[in-house]
Amino acid sequence: MSIIDIIDKKRRGEELSKAELSEIFLGYQSEKVEDYQMSSLLMAICINGMTMEETLTLTDLMLYSGQKMDSSKVEGLMVDKHSTGGVGDKTSLIIGPIMAALGLKMGKLSGRGLGFTGGTIDKLESIPGFRVALTKEEFIYDLNKVGFTECEQTPEFTPLDKKIYNLRSVTGTVSSIPLIASSVMSKKLAVGADFILIDLKVGSGALIQTKKEAVELASTLIEIGKAYNKIVIPVLTDMNRPLGDNVGNALEIIEAMDVLKGKTGVLRDLVIELSSTLYSRAKKINLDVAKEEVKKCLDNGLAYEKFMEFVKMQGGDIDKLELASVMKPVYASEEGRLKDISAREIGRLVLELGGGRKKKGDAIDYGVGIVINKHIDDNIVKGDILCYLYQNDELDRTDDVLKAFTIVK
Ligand code: URA
């Protein structure tokens, strides 16, 4: 069947065979299929979905577009964690060091920003010198040495996911259950941890907006895990509001470090919940016991030390982290109670500031972003600083920022 016929078949909502999926996806990998043809197929998948059989085939194609890591070379119990994407979501940068501090191994393949949601690889790349592309040997070496390592898709690790992921990010084709599930699971299966925790974000600032879709995605992820003999643990978490105070690549690195140094609040609470769930399942211990151990290694600084070891091991110089040159406070124009902060609006603003990509290959401005200065239910007086914008231009974005904050009498 020709590439055009395959696209047209999916447009009609029909199931594609293994051979047809291989033809078009491997054709895209080898550059015989063009971006515009793949974009068209991805949109048809977004609209018409995929069967479980198709989703498994796509996962397999992505997984074996590269190689699987030899997990027998990793010393100790391996766990993994992945988020389905949100705004201000820097949990991996805290959970990885916690797992390492607890004596587990967490080697993670991650992606860049997807649509208006941020990606851990872009955040890490904001640290001057940090190497996000590792060879298989470096990945295993760093993992055994530090206990936590994180890198992007490379020619060795799920290169097909990288191509598709980058295209989805700029073609409005991110919010599709089979595309998210195959993308996430191909990366998790390439590393091969036995326990995989999925932070499944639901809400206006996530790729998945409704509970119904979240439940469907969770069961798809579990099914894929079963097919490869892996335990997938989905945890549904709220993403209607930005997670934590800082949104933007370098700013999120700073907040992750703040939590590792003892900052309290919603972000720390979520990190403790996710870490203890993963730790208790992997070690087969009681959840409350796991929670105490997780808190201990946050409070005694061991997880922070692991983070610093991880950054150094991958060549990063945290002292050279730079923020944008202009910091503009945004003042409240009315008084009342802060009822809501829209994660989607904040995510879009950071994208507009240059913190994300609008086109394939766009350069990122790592230092831009937003630091939120008020919390939900705070009483606001006219003139209070709601947030600070970090930007590298002088544009006045006050009206757009105010739209993200709902203040009620
Ligand atoms: N994370 C991924 O790796 N892929 C997606 O599609 C969404 C989140």
Side-chain angles (χ1 to χ4, degrees):
M1 200 182 256
S2 78
I3 295 302
I4 298 169
D5 289 338
I6 295 173
I7 299 169
D8 197 46
K9 188 170 173 188
K10 186 40 84 183
R11 183 193 62 77
R12 291 194 306 272
E14 291 173 30
E15 182 175 23
L16 298 178
S17 68
K18 219 174 211 170
E20 288 158 351
L21 286 166
S22 305
E23 177 80 19
I24 191 157
F25 279 100
L26 298 183
Y28 184 58
Q29 192 185 354
S30 60
E31 297 185 356
K32 285 191 207 118
V33 171
E34 300 287 343
D35 272 354
Y36 52 81
Q37 294 175 310
M38 184 48 71
S39 307
S40 177
L41 177 74
L42 293 172
M43 187 54 84
I45 292 173
C46 279
I47 294 166
N48 291 324
M50 274 182 144
T51 62
M52 195 61 218
E53 199 57 36
E54 288 176 299
T55 309
L56 282 168
T57 300
L58 181 54
T59 308
D60 219 58
L61 288 171
M62 285 178 171
L63 170 60
Y64 290 106
S65 65
Q67 301 162 27
K68 266 171 130 173
M69 201 185 73
D70 181 357
S71 51
S72 70
K73 295 202 170 125
V74 178
E75 299 148 13
L77 188 55
M78 266 171 74
V79 293
D80 203 346
K81 176 266 167 198
H82 206 87
S83 160
T84 54
V87 175
D89 181 6
K90 65 283 282 176
T91 54
S92 295
L93 298 170
I94 311 170
I95 295 174
I98 291 175
M99 291 300 128
L102 291 168
L104 301 184
K105 296 287 189 293
M106 185 163 127
K108 197 169 148 23
L109 283 185
S110 298
R112 293 175 181 274
L114 201 51
F116 63 88
T117 66
T120 316
I121 293 302
D122 290 329
K123 293 170 203 183
L124 287 170
E125 228 171 37
S126 70
I127 307 172
F130 193 98
R131 289 182 311 118
V132 294
L134 300 178
T135 63
K136 247 182 353 174
E137 289 70 28
E138 287 171 325
F139 190 87
I140 293 171
Y141 180 83
D142 291 3
L143 191 52
N144 282 330
K145 266 280 202 253
V146 180
F148 171 48
T149 187
E150 183 148 9
C151 90
E152 72 171 334
Q153 312 99 319
T154 63
E156 283 180 322
F157 291 129
T158 63
L160 177 58
D161 173 56
K162 181 172 183 165
K163 271 195 94 163
I164 303 281
Y165 189 102
N166 293 343
L167 188 64
R168 283 171 58 213
S169 181
V170 292
T171 52
T173 53
V174 290
S175 296
S176 148
I177 288 171
L179 294 179
I180 296 172
S182 53
S183 165
V184 169
M185 289 306 291
S186 63
K187 290 191 281 293
K188 304 299 96 182
L189 296 166
V191 174
D194 288 322
F195 295 90
I196 302 162
L197 182 124
I198 306 289
D199 180 6
L200 211 162
K201 301 263 176 237
V202 199
S204 76
L207 304 184
I208 294 295
Q209 315 254 313
T210 66
K211 177 99 186 282
K212 183 170 171 281
E213 287 173 301
V215 170
E216 195 184 328
L217 176 56
S219 74
T220 308
L221 292 162
I222 291 171
E223 278 298 300
I224 300 175
K226 271 193 199 145
Y228 291 86
N229 243 335
K230 301 289 177 195
I231 296 172
V232 176
I233 312 155
V235 180
L236 271 54
T237 66
D238 177 72
M239 188 30 80
N240 284 300
R241 292 165 182 159
L243 185 54
D245 297 326
N246 295 15
V247 185
N249 295 293
L251 284 166
E252 293 191 39
I253 296 284
I254 293 173
E255 192 176 21
M257 289 168 66
D258 288 344
V259 171
L260 286 162
K261 284 190 274 187
K263 180 179 171 180
T264 55
V266 176
L267 176 59
R268 175 183 153 108
D269 294 347
L270 178 62
V271 160
I272 292 173
E273 184 198 331
L274 296 175
S275 300
S276 44
T277 301
L278 181 55
Y279 187 54
S280 72
R281 287 292 295 273
K283 294 286 279 190
K284 300 183 177 42
I285 58 171
N286 175 281
L287 186 60
D288 290 333
V289 174
K291 208 170 262 182
E292 284 317 304
E293 292 203 34
V294 165
K295 282 186 192 160
K296 206 190 312 164
C297 72
L298 271 176
D299 295 338
N300 65 16
L302 209 58
Y304 177 69
E305 275 173 36
K306 280 291 170 192
F307 176 84
M308 296 308 273
E309 262 182 68
F310 151 72
V311 170
K312 199 162 163 217
M313 182 63 108
Q314 290 189 224
D317 185 347
I318 207 78
D319 296 330
K320 295 208 172 118
L321 196 71
E322 267 189 32
L323 296 180
S325 54
V326 179
M327 186 185 78
K328 269 187 192 268
V330 178
Y331 302 98
S333 57
E334 56 188 324
E335 62 175 37
R337 179 177 65 85
L338 182 56
K339 184 168 175 244
D340 203 7
I341 306 173
S342 161
R344 181 168 279 250
E345 290 302 323
I346 297 284
R348 286 207 175 120
L349 267 163
V350 174
L351 190 77
E352 283 305 319
L353 286 165
R357 295 178 189 81
K358 291 182 184 166
K359 292 197 306 296
K360 238 179 111 181
D362 272 356
I364 291 235
D365 193 342
Y366 295 111
V368 299
I370 297 180
V371 174
I372 296 164
N373 192 45
K374 291 287 176 190
H375 296 114
I376 301 300
D377 286 335
D378 278 359
N379 279 322
I380 308 291
V381 175
K382 203 170 162 181
D384 273 354
I385 297 175
L386 293 175
C387 65
Y388 296 91
L389 282 192
Y390 284 75
Q391 55 190 71
N392 276 320
D393 56 35
E394 288 294 340
L395 280 184
D396 182 6
R397 298 179 171 88
T398 307
D399 289 346
D400 288 337
V401 178
L402 290 179
K403 273 188 225 147
F405 291 80
T406 308
I407 297 170
V408 292
K409 293 284 175 213

